[in-house]
């Protein structure tokens, strides 16, 4: 009995090879259309955002973007809760400062961002960059000058050295003659750095009590890797873990805000060095 007759009797669907080939071609064409019209443009826009951050920790190229999206992104965590700092203060892990911390700002300084929307932060785990509420060039230049002067003025406590995390910027490190323990040792002495090539936001390590003040006042947030072992795991131990106390401080937009940000940096130096003779 011919195959066509047999399949009609048994009601078994039979597709001619040409029909199957046409269906496969149609499916592949639809997939290609989907990729070309939706996925590729979205991926390109995402890559352009990544490139706009400027050089940072990951390679500043397509490979870096792929690594961040494929490997880094799933390991990120939320960045605004202060619960763990409350627990650390309660457990006397505030390095002797308890609820006080090292950061003392006037109500005007602390509250200058309160009630404002936070700046938009880039969607990538790394590099962590601010995309809105950016300072103008004059404020950026002034901030760089003030930050550098602070470091040189406090050479008895800190030194400038290439950042372990940013690689393309110098950071403040605990001076070699000062012994370090705990978080300062984990951070390999790095206290703070300014993203001077782009947005001029800051990363700094603060006491738990000061982390609460900064986050609640709207002056900053955690890094998505803060308090995890993601960094050392992904870098095969070549870079330090980022402690929960590692915060992003939003870029200062005025000279008054430069003063506030530098007080936050100063508090970080006190915390990491265990010294209060910051000038």
């Amino acid at each position: 009995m011919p195959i066509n007759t047999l399949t009609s009797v048994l009601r078994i669907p039979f597709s001619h090879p040409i029909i199957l080939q046409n269906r496969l071609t149609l499916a592949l064409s639809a997939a290609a259309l989907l990729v070309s019209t939706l996925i590729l443009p979205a991926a390109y826009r995402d890559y352009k955002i990544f490139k706009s951050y400027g050089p940072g920790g990951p390679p500043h190229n397509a490979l870096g973007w792929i690594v961040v999206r494929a490997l880094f992104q799933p390991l990120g965590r939320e960045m605004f809760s202060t619960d763990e700092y409350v627990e650390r203060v309660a457990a006397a892990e505030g390095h002797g400062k308890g609820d006080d911390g090292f950061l003392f700002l006037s109500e005007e300084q602390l509250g200058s961002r309160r009630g404002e929307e936070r700046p938009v932060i880039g969607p990538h785990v790394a590099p962590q960059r601010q995309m809105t509420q950016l300072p103008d060039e004059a404020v950026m230049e002034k901030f760089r000058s003030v930050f550098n002067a602070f470091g040189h003025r406090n050479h008895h406590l800190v030194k400038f050295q290439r950042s372990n995390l940013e690689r393309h910027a110098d950071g403040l490190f605990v001076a070699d003659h000062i012994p370090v323990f705990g978080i300062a040792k984990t951070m390999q002495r790095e206290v703070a750095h300014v993203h001077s090539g782009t947005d001029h936001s800051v990363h700094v390590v603060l006491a738990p009590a000061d982390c609460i003040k900064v986050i609640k006042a709207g002056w900053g947030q955690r890094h998505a890797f803060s308090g995890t072992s993601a960094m050392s795991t992904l870098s095969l131990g070549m870079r330090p873990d980022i402690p929960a106390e590692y915060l992003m401080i939003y870029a200062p937009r005025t000279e008054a805000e430069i003063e506030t940000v530098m007080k936050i940096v100063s508090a970080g130096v006190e915390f990491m060095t265990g010294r209060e003779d910051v000038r």
Side-chain angles (χ1 to χ4, degrees):
M1 180 181 294
I3 291 178
N4 288 343
T5 305
L6 179 61
T7 55
S8 63
V9 170
L10 298 178
R11 299 185 181 278
I12 299 175
F14 176 78
S15 296
H16 193 278
I18 294 179
I19 296 176
L20 289 175
Q21 183 177 0
N22 289 341
R23 288 178 178 174
L24 178 60
T25 301
L26 182 61
L28 291 175
S29 299
L33 181 63
L34 178 66
V35 169
S36 62
T37 59
L38 296 178
I39 298 177
L40 283 181
Y44 180 70
R45 287 193 297 270
D46 190 75
Y47 175 64
K48 291 285 283 184
I49 292 173
F50 177 81
K51 287 286 287 182
S52 73
Y53 303 146
H60 189 226
N61 53 32
L63 176 61
W65 170 68
I66 291 170
V67 168
V68 167
R69 273 304 186 193
L71 299 180
F72 285 24
Q73 210 69 23
L75 301 178
R77 57 172 296 200
E78 65 82 27
M79 295 173 279
F80 299 101
S81 169
T82 59
D83 291 346
E84 63 189 291
Y85 306 123
V86 173
E87 293 172 3
R88 292 184 185 209
V89 169
E93 294 180 15
H95 285 224
K97 284 290 186 175
D99 291 327
D100 294 332
F102 299 86
L103 179 60
F104 299 98
L105 296 173
S106 68
E107 191 57 37
E108 181 182 358
Q109 288 174 317
L110 197 59
S112 63
R113 276 190 175 271
R114 192 173 288 143
E116 286 190 41
E117 287 190 8
R118 294 176 185 268
V120 175
I121 306 302
H124 304 86
V125 166
Q128 187 182 38
R129 293 292 186 270
Q130 183 174 327
M131 300 180 67
T132 61
Q133 301 183 21
L134 301 175
D136 60 33
E137 288 294 333
V139 173
M140 288 182 179
E141 184 177 354
K142 175 72 173 179
F143 182 37
R144 291 194 301 269
S145 175
V146 171
F147 184 82
N148 290 335
F150 172 87
H152 293 303
R153 188 168 64 249
N154 288 283
H155 60 86
H156 60 299
L157 298 176
V158 293
K159 64 176 183 176
F160 282 107
Q161 181 178 309
R162 185 65 69 188
S163 169
N164 292 323
L165 295 168
E166 283 296 322
R167 300 192 306 162
H168 299 279
D170 285 343
L172 288 177
F173 285 70
V174 177
D176 293 335
H177 66 275
I178 297 178
V180 293
F181 310 94
I183 292 175
K185 189 172 183 179
T186 298
M187 283 294 295
Q188 299 177 6
R189 295 178 175 266
E190 185 165 357
V191 180
H193 57 255
V194 177
H195 305 127
S196 55
T198 50
D199 61 349
H200 284 65
S201 61
V202 178
H203 278 128
V204 62
V205 184
L206 297 171
D210 294 334
C211 292
I212 296 172
K213 297 173 192 174
V214 166
I215 293 175
K216 285 190 172 181
W219 266 102
Q221 63 188 68
R222 263 191 306 278
H223 190 282
F225 282 171
S226 294
T228 75
S229 59
M231 186 61 74
S232 63
T233 299
L234 291 168
S235 66
L236 301 178
M238 296 180 65
R239 296 195 186 178
D241 286 326
I242 299 179
E245 292 82 359
Y246 182 81
L247 297 193
M248 177 191 203
I249 308 301
Y250 304 137
R253 299 162 294 182
T254 64
E255 290 198 16
E257 289 191 350
I258 289 176
E259 182 181 349
T260 300
V261 171
M262 289 311 304
K263 285 194 173 184
I264 295 172
V265 171
S266 177
V269 171
E270 290 189 38
F271 172 60
M272 293 284 274
T273 61
R275 300 266 295 270
E276 298 186 23
D277 52 334
V278 179
R279 301 169 184 165

